Amino acid sequence: MDRVPEQFHRPIRRPPAAFDNIVGAVDPAEQSRIAHATASALLDRARKDASGETTERLIAFAAEHGIDEIAELWAHSPARSLPGALWRLYLLQLAIRDDGATTALLYERGRVELRTADAVIAGAPAPASPEELVALVDTILRGVFQGDFAIALDRAAAYCRVQASGATHLADDYEASEPQRASDFTRRALRLSGYATDLSDSSAAWRIGALS
């Protein structure tokens, strides 16, 4: 189970040599500039395409090709930034597509246990199958590229809080019988909670024109 969260922090493979020539030799400030510029350009292009074709290609890209190229551009961006927010959204898409059963288990347990409106805000069915959670994350990404960006980030943050709650309760369940599995769930809960905070902060920054 810990395999997926470990992928959240680093690219899966080395980028091609041509990409090294563009990005690998630059300093951190230039790499940050490139990350912000590409995120802004992608978002702007998708929002200007009324047909929705660009949005659908952006949603499908990670599912078809992985997140290596995205990781090289955005993985090290600040949490409260446009590339940082987009990176976290693609990580959520990766998690549900890579291990739908565990993701759905965490979400359902969190939905039952969490006494907040987060499950309603996220917008998944109750209970939600892995396929329905894939659809939910894709819908959230469509909201980012075509709809209200802040609302999409709020939905993603709520989704993370529900899953974090589920992971926390499962960690408690396994504490006595399977301590290593409990530790895995605890780490995942902490990571998801952190993503929820990052996405909420990015949403608030977007609303006041401070997210770049």
Side-chain angles (χ1 to χ4, degrees):
M1 186 207 69
D2 198 43
R3 178 173 57 86
V4 174
E6 286 301 321
Q7 290 178 341
F8 283 14
H9 284 276
R10 60 180 182 269
I12 300 168
R13 58 177 169 79
R14 288 183 56 78
F19 194 85
D20 278 335
N21 292 335
I22 297 171
V23 179
V26 301
D27 63 27
E30 179 65 6
Q31 198 162 3
S32 176
R33 185 196 67 76
I34 292 171
H36 285 74
T38 54
S40 296
L42 280 175
L43 191 64
D44 184 63
R45 180 177 177 182
R47 288 178 172 275
K48 286 181 177 178
D49 181 4
S51 72
E53 292 180 3
T54 300
T55 293
E56 294 307 313
R57 287 198 298 271
L58 290 171
I59 292 171
F61 179 85
E64 294 173 1
H65 306 291
I67 59 171
D68 300 5
E69 289 80 5
I70 297 171
E72 290 301 327
L73 289 173
W74 298 341
H76 302 293
S77 298
R80 202 191 80 166
S81 69
L82 182 57
L86 292 176
W87 170 237
R88 282 155 179 75
L89 292 173
Y90 274 112
L91 292 177
L92 297 181
Q93 186 193 50
L94 172 68
I96 178 59
R97 291 182 182 277
D98 194 62
D99 188 357
T102 298
T103 303
L105 174 65
L106 297 180
Y107 191 89
E108 178 59 17
R109 182 63 182 273
R111 183 189 70 81
V112 171
E113 299 285 356
L114 197 59
R115 300 292 182 248
T116 69
D118 284 313
V120 175
I121 294 170
S129 67
E131 294 76 19
E132 288 168 330
L133 289 182
V134 167
L136 171 66
V137 173
D138 286 354
T139 296
I140 290 172
L141 281 169
R142 287 188 186 93
V144 164
F145 293 124
Q146 286 188 303
D148 188 311
F149 189 86
I151 289 177
L153 294 185
D154 286 338
R155 291 184 68 185
Y159 172 83
C160 288
R161 283 190 291 270
V162 174
Q163 283 206 68
S165 173
T168 298
H169 282 89
L170 284 172
D172 291 341
D173 292 346
Y174 286 106
E175 183 63 37
S177 60
E178 298 182 48
Q180 182 56 56
R181 193 172 188 187
S183 295
D184 292 342
F185 279 125
T186 297
R187 284 195 298 271
R188 189 155 181 167
L190 290 172
R191 192 162 295 160
L192 286 162
S193 294
Y195 290 164
T197 299
D198 296 339
L199 291 165
S200 291
D201 288 348
S202 293
S203 173
W206 176 268
R207 285 190 166 93
I208 62 174
L211 189 71
S212 61

mmCIF file of all heavy atoms in Angstrom, residues 20-71:
data_model
loop_
_atom_site.group_PDB
_atom_site.id
_atom_site.type_symbol
_atom_site.label_atom_id
_atom_site.label_comp_id
_atom_site.label_asym_id
_atom_site.label_seq_id
_atom_site.Cartn_x
_atom_site.Cartn_y
_atom_site.Cartn_z
ATOM 1 N N ASP A 20 16.759 17.342 -20.409
ATOM 2 C CA ASP A 20 17.886 17.712 -19.560
ATOM 3 C C ASP A 20 18.564 18.964 -20.091
ATOM 4 O O ASP A 20 18.986 19.830 -19.330
ATOM 5 C CB ASP A 20 18.918 16.582 -19.503
ATOM 6 C CG ASP A 20 18.541 15.510 -18.496
ATOM 7 O OD1 ASP A 20 17.805 15.829 -17.552
ATOM 8 O OD2 ASP A 20 18.964 14.366 -18.666
ATOM 9 N N ASN A 21 18.667 19.049 -21.392
ATOM 10 C CA ASN A 21 19.343 20.192 -21.979
ATOM 11 C C ASN A 21 18.587 21.488 -21.718
ATOM 12 O O ASN A 21 19.176 22.558 -21.620
ATOM 13 C CB ASN A 21 19.500 20.004 -23.494
ATOM 14 C CG ASN A 21 20.460 18.880 -23.818
ATOM 15 O OD1 ASN A 21 21.328 18.546 -23.020
ATOM 16 N ND2 ASN A 21 20.292 18.270 -24.990
ATOM 17 N N ILE A 22 17.268 21.371 -21.588
ATOM 18 C CA ILE A 22 16.460 22.564 -21.373
ATOM 19 C C ILE A 22 16.409 22.928 -19.906
ATOM 20 O O ILE A 22 16.579 24.078 -19.513
ATOM 21 C CB ILE A 22 15.021 22.337 -21.897
ATOM 22 C CG1 ILE A 22 15.061 22.102 -23.410
ATOM 23 C CG2 ILE A 22 14.129 23.520 -21.582
ATOM 24 C CD1 ILE A 22 13.732 21.657 -23.984
ATOM 25 N N VAL A 23 16.166 21.920 -19.054
ATOM 26 C CA VAL A 23 15.884 22.207 -17.654
ATOM 27 C C VAL A 23 17.004 21.781 -16.710
ATOM 28 O O VAL A 23 17.289 22.453 -15.732
ATOM 29 C CB VAL A 23 14.564 21.515 -17.232
ATOM 30 C CG1 VAL A 23 14.281 21.791 -15.771
ATOM 31 C CG2 VAL A 23 13.420 22.012 -18.097
ATOM 32 N N GLY A 24 17.666 20.663 -17.023
ATOM 33 C CA GLY A 24 18.561 20.070 -16.049
ATOM 34 C C GLY A 24 19.708 20.967 -15.615
ATOM 35 O O GLY A 24 20.187 20.870 -14.491
ATOM 36 N N ALA A 25 20.168 21.852 -16.506
ATOM 37 C CA ALA A 25 21.341 22.638 -16.191
ATOM 38 C C ALA A 25 21.015 23.990 -15.574
ATOM 39 O O ALA A 25 21.914 24.720 -15.189
ATOM 40 C CB ALA A 25 22.169 22.846 -17.457
ATOM 41 N N VAL A 26 19.750 24.344 -15.483
ATOM 42 C CA VAL A 26 19.400 25.676 -14.995
ATOM 43 C C VAL A 26 19.394 25.703 -13.483
ATOM 44 O O VAL A 26 19.325 24.672 -12.813
ATOM 45 C CB VAL A 26 18.021 26.119 -15.536
ATOM 46 C CG1 VAL A 26 18.040 26.138 -17.053
ATOM 47 C CG2 VAL A 26 16.922 25.215 -15.009
ATOM 48 N N ASP A 27 19.436 26.914 -12.932
ATOM 49 C CA ASP A 27 19.434 27.044 -11.482
ATOM 50 C C ASP A 27 18.003 26.946 -10.953
ATOM 51 O O ASP A 27 17.044 26.976 -11.727
ATOM 52 C CB ASP A 27 20.111 28.353 -11.056
ATOM 53 C CG ASP A 27 19.379 29.583 -11.557
ATOM 54 O OD1 ASP A 27 18.145 29.514 -11.777
ATOM 55 O OD2 ASP A 27 20.028 30.626 -11.726
ATOM 56 N N PRO A 28 17.821 26.792 -9.639
ATOM 57 C CA PRO A 28 16.474 26.621 -9.080
ATOM 58 C C PRO A 28 15.513 27.748 -9.419
ATOM 59 O O PRO A 28 14.326 27.509 -9.631
ATOM 60 C CB PRO A 28 16.743 26.542 -7.573
ATOM 61 C CG PRO A 28 18.131 26.010 -7.477
ATOM 62 C CD PRO A 28 18.876 26.611 -8.629
ATOM 63 N N ALA A 29 16.011 28.977 -9.467
ATOM 64 C CA ALA A 29 15.133 30.104 -9.787
ATOM 65 C C ALA A 29 14.581 29.978 -11.200
ATOM 66 O O ALA A 29 13.397 30.227 -11.451
ATOM 67 C CB ALA A 29 15.893 31.421 -9.629
ATOM 68 N N GLU A 30 15.434 29.565 -12.138
ATOM 69 C CA GLU A 30 14.985 29.397 -13.516
ATOM 70 C C GLU A 30 14.033 28.214 -13.631
ATOM 71 O O GLU A 30 13.038 28.265 -14.361
ATOM 72 C CB GLU A 30 16.194 29.182 -14.438
ATOM 73 C CG GLU A 30 15.839 28.979 -15.908
ATOM 74 C CD GLU A 30 15.205 30.190 -16.559
ATOM 75 O OE1 GLU A 30 15.121 31.255 -15.914
ATOM 76 O OE2 GLU A 30 14.777 30.071 -17.725
ATOM 77 N N GLN A 31 14.317 27.156 -12.886
ATOM 78 C CA GLN A 31 13.419 25.997 -12.903
ATOM 79 C C GLN A 31 12.052 26.385 -12.357
ATOM 80 O O GLN A 31 11.018 25.959 -12.874
ATOM 81 C CB GLN A 31 14.020 24.868 -12.076
ATOM 82 C CG GLN A 31 13.396 23.513 -12.370
ATOM 83 C CD GLN A 31 14.272 22.369 -11.894
ATOM 84 O OE1 GLN A 31 15.324 22.588 -11.287
ATOM 85 N NE2 GLN A 31 13.867 21.160 -12.180
ATOM 86 N N SER A 32 12.032 27.202 -11.309
ATOM 87 C CA SER A 32 10.768 27.669 -10.753
ATOM 88 C C SER A 32 10.020 28.531 -11.767
ATOM 89 O O SER A 32 8.794 28.424 -11.914
ATOM 90 C CB SER A 32 11.031 28.465 -9.477
ATOM 91 O OG SER A 32 9.827 29.010 -8.961
ATOM 92 N N ARG A 33 10.748 29.377 -12.476
ATOM 93 C CA ARG A 33 10.110 30.228 -13.487
ATOM 94 C C ARG A 33 9.465 29.383 -14.573
ATOM 95 O O ARG A 33 8.342 29.654 -15.001
ATOM 96 C CB ARG A 33 11.149 31.172 -14.104
ATOM 97 C CG ARG A 33 10.539 32.189 -15.080
ATOM 98 C CD ARG A 33 11.596 32.825 -15.942
ATOM 99 N NE ARG A 33 12.197 31.884 -16.862
ATOM 100 C CZ ARG A 33 11.595 31.462 -17.977
ATOM 101 N NH1 ARG A 33 10.383 31.871 -18.290
ATOM 102 N NH2 ARG A 33 12.207 30.605 -18.771
ATOM 103 N N ILE A 34 10.168 28.341 -15.000
ATOM 104 C CA ILE A 34 9.635 27.454 -16.038
ATOM 105 C C ILE A 34 8.383 26.736 -15.536
ATOM 106 O O ILE A 34 7.390 26.599 -16.256
ATOM 107 C CB ILE A 34 10.710 26.448 -16.479
ATOM 108 C CG1 ILE A 34 11.831 27.167 -17.221
ATOM 109 C CG2 ILE A 34 10.114 25.350 -17.352
ATOM 110 C CD1 ILE A 34 13.048 26.292 -17.505
ATOM 111 N N ALA A 35 8.419 26.273 -14.290
ATOM 112 C CA ALA A 35 7.264 25.575 -13.721
ATOM 113 C C ALA A 35 6.041 26.483 -13.705
ATOM 114 O O ALA A 35 4.944 26.082 -14.108
ATOM 115 C CB ALA A 35 7.584 25.104 -12.302
ATOM 116 N N HIS A 36 6.211 27.704 -13.245
ATOM 117 C CA HIS A 36 5.089 28.629 -13.178
ATOM 118 C C HIS A 36 4.596 29.014 -14.568
ATOM 119 O O HIS A 36 3.387 29.117 -14.810
ATOM 120 C CB HIS A 36 5.480 29.879 -12.389
ATOM 121 C CG HIS A 36 5.552 29.647 -10.907
ATOM 122 N ND1 HIS A 36 6.583 28.952 -10.317
ATOM 123 C CD2 HIS A 36 4.711 30.006 -9.898
ATOM 124 C CE1 HIS A 36 6.389 28.896 -9.009
ATOM 125 N NE2 HIS A 36 5.262 29.515 -8.731
ATOM 126 N N ALA A 37 5.534 29.213 -15.495
ATOM 127 C CA ALA A 37 5.155 29.612 -16.850
ATOM 128 C C ALA A 37 4.378 28.504 -17.551
ATOM 129 O O ALA A 37 3.367 28.775 -18.227
ATOM 130 C CB ALA A 37 6.401 29.979 -17.652
ATOM 131 N N THR A 38 4.830 27.258 -17.416
ATOM 132 C CA THR A 38 4.126 26.166 -18.098
ATOM 133 C C THR A 38 2.750 25.927 -17.485
ATOM 134 O O THR A 38 1.781 25.661 -18.212
ATOM 135 C CB THR A 38 4.949 24.867 -18.026
ATOM 136 O OG1 THR A 38 5.273 24.571 -16.662
ATOM 137 C CG2 THR A 38 6.219 24.978 -18.842
ATOM 138 N N ALA A 39 2.646 26.022 -16.166
ATOM 139 C CA ALA A 39 1.343 25.840 -15.526
ATOM 140 C C ALA A 39 0.369 26.921 -15.975
ATOM 141 O O ALA A 39 -0.792 26.636 -16.304
ATOM 142 C CB ALA A 39 1.500 25.864 -14.004
ATOM 143 N N SER A 40 0.827 28.151 -16.011
ATOM 144 C CA SER A 40 -0.042 29.252 -16.438
ATOM 145 C C SER A 40 -0.448 29.096 -17.894
ATOM 146 O O SER A 40 -1.608 29.332 -18.253
ATOM 147 C CB SER A 40 0.680 30.592 -16.236
ATOM 148 O OG SER A 40 0.927 30.837 -14.875
ATOM 149 N N ALA A 41 0.504 28.685 -18.739
ATOM 150 C CA ALA A 41 0.207 28.532 -20.160
ATOM 151 C C ALA A 41 -0.803 27.415 -20.396
ATOM 152 O O ALA A 41 -1.734 27.572 -21.208
ATOM 153 C CB ALA A 41 1.500 28.250 -20.927
ATOM 154 N N LEU A 42 -0.645 26.294 -19.701
ATOM 155 C CA LEU A 42 -1.591 25.189 -19.860
ATOM 156 C C LEU A 42 -2.988 25.589 -19.411
ATOM 157 O O LEU A 42 -3.981 25.314 -20.089
ATOM 158 C CB LEU A 42 -1.112 23.974 -19.065
ATOM 159 C CG LEU A 42 -0.033 23.105 -19.699
ATOM 160 C CD1 LEU A 42 0.398 22.028 -18.725
ATOM 161 C CD2 LEU A 42 -0.532 22.478 -20.993
ATOM 162 N N LEU A 43 -3.057 26.249 -18.265
ATOM 163 C CA LEU A 43 -4.364 26.657 -17.749
ATOM 164 C C LEU A 43 -5.020 27.654 -18.685
ATOM 165 O O LEU A 43 -6.214 27.549 -18.988
ATOM 166 C CB LEU A 43 -4.197 27.255 -16.355
ATOM 167 C CG LEU A 43 -5.490 27.503 -15.566
ATOM 168 C CD1 LEU A 43 -6.196 26.182 -15.267
ATOM 169 C CD2 LEU A 43 -5.192 28.243 -14.269
ATOM 170 N N ASP A 44 -4.256 28.615 -19.164
ATOM 171 C CA ASP A 44 -4.793 29.631 -20.063
ATOM 172 C C ASP A 44 -5.276 29.008 -21.366
ATOM 173 O O ASP A 44 -6.351 29.334 -21.873
ATOM 174 C CB ASP A 44 -3.717 30.682 -20.331
ATOM 175 C CG ASP A 44 -4.234 31.836 -21.186
ATOM 176 O OD1 ASP A 44 -5.159 32.539 -20.721
ATOM 177 O OD2 ASP A 44 -3.710 32.037 -22.295
ATOM 178 N N ARG A 45 -4.489 28.080 -21.900
ATOM 179 C CA ARG A 45 -4.876 27.439 -23.159
ATOM 180 C C ARG A 45 -6.163 26.646 -23.003
ATOM 181 O O ARG A 45 -7.052 26.696 -23.866
ATOM 182 C CB ARG A 45 -3.747 26.530 -23.637
ATOM 183 C CG ARG A 45 -4.061 25.816 -24.944
ATOM 184 C CD ARG A 45 -2.878 24.986 -25.412
ATOM 185 N NE ARG A 45 -3.212 24.255 -26.627
ATOM 186 C CZ ARG A 45 -2.375 23.419 -27.233
ATOM 187 N NH1 ARG A 45 -1.162 23.236 -26.749
ATOM 188 N NH2 ARG A 45 -2.753 22.785 -28.333
ATOM 189 N N ALA A 46 -6.278 25.895 -21.908
ATOM 190 C CA ALA A 46 -7.478 25.088 -21.694
ATOM 191 C C ALA A 46 -8.707 25.974 -21.528
ATOM 192 O O ALA A 46 -9.782 25.671 -22.061
ATOM 193 C CB ALA A 46 -7.298 24.210 -20.460
ATOM 194 N N ARG A 47 -8.562 27.068 -20.797
ATOM 195 C CA ARG A 47 -9.705 27.942 -20.551
ATOM 196 C C ARG A 47 -10.156 28.700 -21.791
ATOM 197 O O ARG A 47 -11.314 29.107 -21.884
ATOM 198 C CB ARG A 47 -9.379 28.908 -19.413
ATOM 199 C CG ARG A 47 -9.350 28.226 -18.052
ATOM 200 C CD ARG A 47 -8.981 29.175 -16.926
ATOM 201 N NE ARG A 47 -9.154 28.528 -15.634
ATOM 202 C CZ ARG A 47 -10.308 28.477 -14.980
ATOM 203 N NH1 ARG A 47 -11.370 29.075 -15.471
ATOM 204 N NH2 ARG A 47 -10.392 27.850 -13.819
ATOM 205 N N LYS A 48 -9.267 28.899 -22.723
ATOM 206 C CA LYS A 48 -9.621 29.604 -23.960
ATOM 207 C C LYS A 48 -10.222 28.681 -25.003
ATOM 208 O O LYS A 48 -10.765 29.156 -26.003
ATOM 209 C CB LYS A 48 -8.384 30.301 -24.527
ATOM 210 C CG LYS A 48 -7.971 31.540 -23.740
ATOM 211 C CD LYS A 48 -6.751 32.206 -24.359
ATOM 212 C CE LYS A 48 -6.392 33.481 -23.600
ATOM 213 N NZ LYS A 48 -5.173 34.120 -24.164
ATOM 214 N N ASP A 49 -10.108 27.381 -24.795
ATOM 215 C CA ASP A 49 -10.637 26.407 -25.757
ATOM 216 C C ASP A 49 -12.071 26.048 -25.367
ATOM 217 O O ASP A 49 -12.303 25.187 -24.515
ATOM 218 C CB ASP A 49 -9.757 25.159 -25.765
ATOM 219 C CG ASP A 49 -10.243 24.111 -26.762
ATOM 220 O OD1 ASP A 49 -11.219 24.380 -27.493
ATOM 221 O OD2 ASP A 49 -9.644 23.015 -26.795
ATOM 222 N N ALA A 50 -13.030 26.704 -26.000
ATOM 223 C CA ALA A 50 -14.437 26.490 -25.657
ATOM 224 C C ALA A 50 -14.915 25.086 -26.006
ATOM 225 O O ALA A 50 -15.902 24.600 -25.439
ATOM 226 C CB ALA A 50 -15.300 27.526 -26.373
ATOM 227 N N SER A 51 -14.215 24.401 -26.898
ATOM 228 C CA SER A 51 -14.638 23.051 -27.297
ATOM 229 C C SER A 51 -14.399 22.026 -26.195
ATOM 230 O O SER A 51 -15.011 20.963 -26.196
ATOM 231 C CB SER A 51 -13.893 22.627 -28.566
ATOM 232 O OG SER A 51 -12.526 22.348 -28.273
ATOM 233 N N GLY A 52 -13.487 22.334 -25.279
ATOM 234 C CA GLY A 52 -13.161 21.388 -24.212
ATOM 235 C C GLY A 52 -12.158 20.331 -24.620
ATOM 236 O O GLY A 52 -11.764 19.487 -23.791
ATOM 237 N N GLU A 53 -11.691 20.347 -25.873
ATOM 238 C CA GLU A 53 -10.769 19.307 -26.334
ATOM 239 C C GLU A 53 -9.428 19.368 -25.604
ATOM 240 O O GLU A 53 -8.848 18.334 -25.261
ATOM 241 C CB GLU A 53 -10.558 19.435 -27.847
ATOM 242 C CG GLU A 53 -11.802 19.094 -28.668
ATOM 243 C CD GLU A 53 -11.562 19.239 -30.156
ATOM 244 O OE1 GLU A 53 -10.412 19.548 -30.541
ATOM 245 O OE2 GLU A 53 -12.509 19.036 -30.934
ATOM 246 N N THR A 54 -8.933 20.574 -25.370
ATOM 247 C CA THR A 54 -7.657 20.708 -24.656
ATOM 248 C C THR A 54 -7.778 20.158 -23.247
ATOM 249 O O THR A 54 -6.884 19.449 -22.754
ATOM 250 C CB THR A 54 -7.224 22.184 -24.602
ATOM 251 O OG1 THR A 54 -7.059 22.674 -25.937
ATOM 252 C CG2 THR A 54 -5.914 22.346 -23.839
ATOM 253 N N THR A 55 -8.878 20.458 -22.583
ATOM 254 C CA THR A 55 -9.108 19.955 -21.223
ATOM 255 C C THR A 55 -9.108 18.437 -21.205
ATOM 256 O O THR A 55 -8.477 17.809 -20.330
ATOM 257 C CB THR A 55 -10.434 20.489 -20.671
ATOM 258 O OG1 THR A 55 -10.319 21.899 -20.489
ATOM 259 C CG2 THR A 55 -10.788 19.837 -19.346
ATOM 260 N N GLU A 56 -9.807 17.831 -22.146
ATOM 261 C CA GLU A 56 -9.867 16.369 -22.168
ATOM 262 C C GLU A 56 -8.490 15.753 -22.416
ATOM 263 O O GLU A 56 -8.152 14.716 -21.842
ATOM 264 C CB GLU A 56 -10.860 15.897 -23.231
ATOM 265 C CG GLU A 56 -12.308 16.275 -22.926
ATOM 266 C CD GLU A 56 -12.755 15.825 -21.538
ATOM 267 O OE1 GLU A 56 -12.499 14.666 -21.172
ATOM 268 O OE2 GLU A 56 -13.345 16.649 -20.820
ATOM 269 N N ARG A 57 -7.681 16.408 -23.253
ATOM 270 C CA ARG A 57 -6.325 15.899 -23.481
ATOM 271 C C ARG A 57 -5.485 16.022 -22.220
ATOM 272 O O ARG A 57 -4.692 15.121 -21.901
ATOM 273 C CB ARG A 57 -5.661 16.650 -24.632
ATOM 274 C CG ARG A 57 -6.200 16.289 -26.018
ATOM 275 C CD ARG A 57 -5.242 16.710 -27.107
ATOM 276 N NE ARG A 57 -5.032 18.155 -27.134
ATOM 277 C CZ ARG A 57 -5.786 18.997 -27.830
ATOM 278 N NH1 ARG A 57 -6.796 18.535 -28.553
ATOM 279 N NH2 ARG A 57 -5.523 20.278 -27.819
ATOM 280 N N LEU A 58 -5.636 17.113 -21.489
ATOM 281 C CA LEU A 58 -4.866 17.298 -20.255
ATOM 282 C C LEU A 58 -5.278 16.287 -19.189
ATOM 283 O O LEU A 58 -4.447 15.803 -18.426
ATOM 284 C CB LEU A 58 -5.057 18.728 -19.726
ATOM 285 C CG LEU A 58 -4.399 19.823 -20.560
ATOM 286 C CD1 LEU A 58 -4.842 21.200 -20.076
ATOM 287 C CD2 LEU A 58 -2.875 19.703 -20.494
ATOM 288 N N ILE A 59 -6.561 15.964 -19.133
ATOM 289 C CA ILE A 59 -7.036 14.971 -18.169
ATOM 290 C C ILE A 59 -6.509 13.585 -18.529
ATOM 291 O O ILE A 59 -6.091 12.816 -17.667
ATOM 292 C CB ILE A 59 -8.577 14.970 -18.120
ATOM 293 C CG1 ILE A 59 -9.078 16.284 -17.505
ATOM 294 C CG2 ILE A 59 -9.103 13.771 -17.319
ATOM 295 C CD1 ILE A 59 -10.570 16.468 -17.605
ATOM 296 N N ALA A 60 -6.519 13.285 -19.817
ATOM 297 C CA ALA A 60 -6.121 11.952 -20.270
ATOM 298 C C ALA A 60 -4.610 11.759 -20.260
ATOM 299 O O ALA A 60 -4.141 10.613 -20.189
ATOM 300 C CB ALA A 60 -6.645 11.696 -21.685
ATOM 301 N N PHE A 61 -3.856 12.842 -20.288
ATOM 302 C CA PHE A 61 -2.412 12.720 -20.471
ATOM 303 C C PHE A 61 -1.761 11.842 -19.405
ATOM 304 O O PHE A 61 -1.030 10.898 -19.704
ATOM 305 C CB PHE A 61 -1.757 14.097 -20.469
ATOM 306 C CG PHE A 61 -0.264 14.038 -20.635
ATOM 307 C CD1 PHE A 61 0.291 13.970 -21.895
ATOM 308 C CD2 PHE A 61 0.585 14.035 -19.537
ATOM 309 C CE1 PHE A 61 1.669 13.895 -22.063
ATOM 310 C CE2 PHE A 61 1.965 13.955 -19.690
ATOM 311 C CZ PHE A 61 2.506 13.892 -20.959
ATOM 312 N N ALA A 62 -2.006 12.159 -18.144
ATOM 313 C CA ALA A 62 -1.354 11.415 -17.066
ATOM 314 C C ALA A 62 -1.807 9.962 -17.035
ATOM 315 O O ALA A 62 -1.018 9.054 -16.756
ATOM 316 C CB ALA A 62 -1.623 12.080 -15.724
ATOM 317 N N ALA A 63 -3.090 9.732 -17.324
ATOM 318 C CA ALA A 63 -3.602 8.363 -17.313
ATOM 319 C C ALA A 63 -2.935 7.526 -18.398
ATOM 320 O O ALA A 63 -2.674 6.333 -18.216
ATOM 321 C CB ALA A 63 -5.116 8.371 -17.500
ATOM 322 N N GLU A 64 -2.622 8.144 -19.530
ATOM 323 C CA GLU A 64 -2.067 7.409 -20.660
ATOM 324 C C GLU A 64 -0.541 7.323 -20.618
ATOM 325 O O GLU A 64 0.053 6.326 -21.020
ATOM 326 C CB GLU A 64 -2.497 8.073 -21.971
ATOM 327 C CG GLU A 64 -3.999 7.996 -22.217
ATOM 328 C CD GLU A 64 -4.429 8.795 -23.439
ATOM 329 O OE1 GLU A 64 -3.547 9.392 -24.087
ATOM 330 O OE2 GLU A 64 -5.639 8.822 -23.735
ATOM 331 N N HIS A 65 0.100 8.376 -20.121
ATOM 332 C CA HIS A 65 1.555 8.470 -20.241
ATOM 333 C C HIS A 65 2.289 8.516 -18.905
ATOM 334 O O HIS A 65 3.519 8.568 -18.889
ATOM 335 C CB HIS A 65 1.928 9.720 -21.046
ATOM 336 C CG HIS A 65 1.259 9.795 -22.379
ATOM 337 N ND1 HIS A 65 1.570 8.926 -23.414
ATOM 338 C CD2 HIS A 65 0.290 10.620 -22.853
ATOM 339 C CE1 HIS A 65 0.822 9.230 -24.467
ATOM 340 N NE2 HIS A 65 0.039 10.235 -24.152
ATOM 341 N N GLY A 66 1.566 8.524 -17.779
ATOM 342 C CA GLY A 66 2.229 8.671 -16.491
ATOM 343 C C GLY A 66 2.466 10.138 -16.161
ATOM 344 O O GLY A 66 2.002 11.028 -16.870
ATOM 345 N N ILE A 67 3.183 10.361 -15.073
ATOM 346 C CA ILE A 67 3.368 11.743 -14.622
ATOM 347 C C ILE A 67 4.838 12.156 -14.634
ATOM 348 O O ILE A 67 5.218 13.147 -14.005
ATOM 349 C CB ILE A 67 2.791 11.951 -13.212
ATOM 350 C CG1 ILE A 67 3.470 11.014 -12.214
ATOM 351 C CG2 ILE A 67 1.282 11.772 -13.201
ATOM 352 C CD1 ILE A 67 3.117 11.308 -10.769
ATOM 353 N N ASP A 68 5.659 11.440 -15.377
ATOM 354 C CA ASP A 68 7.087 11.741 -15.393
ATOM 355 C C ASP A 68 7.365 13.170 -15.853
ATOM 356 O O ASP A 68 8.087 13.927 -15.199
ATOM 357 C CB ASP A 68 7.822 10.779 -16.317
ATOM 358 C CG ASP A 68 7.669 9.335 -15.886
ATOM 359 O OD1 ASP A 68 6.921 9.085 -14.930
ATOM 360 O OD2 ASP A 68 8.298 8.472 -16.507
ATOM 361 N N GLU A 69 6.816 13.525 -17.017
ATOM 362 C CA GLU A 69 7.082 14.849 -17.567
ATOM 363 C C GLU A 69 6.500 15.944 -16.675
ATOM 364 O O GLU A 69 7.125 16.979 -16.456
ATOM 365 C CB GLU A 69 6.498 14.955 -18.983
ATOM 366 C CG GLU A 69 7.248 14.134 -20.029
ATOM 367 C CD GLU A 69 6.873 12.667 -20.013
ATOM 368 O OE1 GLU A 69 5.959 12.287 -19.248
ATOM 369 O OE2 GLU A 69 7.493 11.888 -20.755
ATOM 370 N N ILE A 70 5.294 15.698 -16.143
ATOM 371 C CA ILE A 70 4.681 16.660 -15.233
ATOM 372 C C ILE A 70 5.532 16.810 -13.981
ATOM 373 O O ILE A 70 5.751 17.922 -13.484
ATOM 374 C CB ILE A 70 3.254 16.211 -14.865
ATOM 375 C CG1 ILE A 70 2.365 16.185 -16.114
ATOM 376 C CG2 ILE A 70 2.648 17.132 -13.806
ATOM 377 C CD1 ILE A 70 1.017 15.546 -15.881
ATOM 378 N N ALA A 71 6.038 15.694 -13.479
ATOM 379 C CA ALA A 71 6.848 15.732 -12.269
ATOM 380 C C ALA A 71 8.089 16.584 -12.461
ATOM 381 O O ALA A 71 8.457 17.383 -11.591
ATOM 382 C CB ALA A 71 7.248 14.311 -11.859
#
